[in-house]
Amino acid sequence: MNKILIKNGRIWMGEEFFYGDVLTDGECIAQIAPEINEEADYVFWADGMIVSPGLIDTHVHVKGI
């Protein structure tokens, strides 16, 4: 499985934001911390972006039947 490191994003933790890094290992979030210095297969720089673990689409419209 690939490890992906998302660096320097504005991370939403459910009640507040903080700036930091997110490391995934396969389909799981392995670590969330202010700074992660671990090797990864891919590194994504998220400067100026919001990272919201567990959310896929933060904008949806639901219409009743």
Side-chain angles (χ1 to χ4, degrees):
M1 291 281 177
N2 291 329
K3 285 188 176 183
I4 300 172
L5 180 57
I6 303 169
K7 297 288 292 177
N8 202 34
R10 187 172 180 215
I11 301 169
W12 177 246
M13 292 296 291
E15 294 185 13
E16 62 186 16
F17 285 100
F18 79 94
Y19 286 92
D21 303 343
V22 177
L23 177 67
T24 67
D25 190 357
E27 296 180 4
C28 298
I29 296 171
Q31 185 178 0
I32 300 173
E35 186 172 356
I36 299 172
N37 294 312
E38 189 170 321
E39 275 198 38
D41 299 305
Y42 303 100
V43 177
F44 180 81
W45 289 93
D47 295 317
M49 298 179 191
I50 294 174
V51 180
S52 52
L55 297 176
I56 296 169
D57 185 358
T58 58
H59 179 109
V60 296
H61 295 265
V62 178
K63 183 178 179 181
I65 297 176

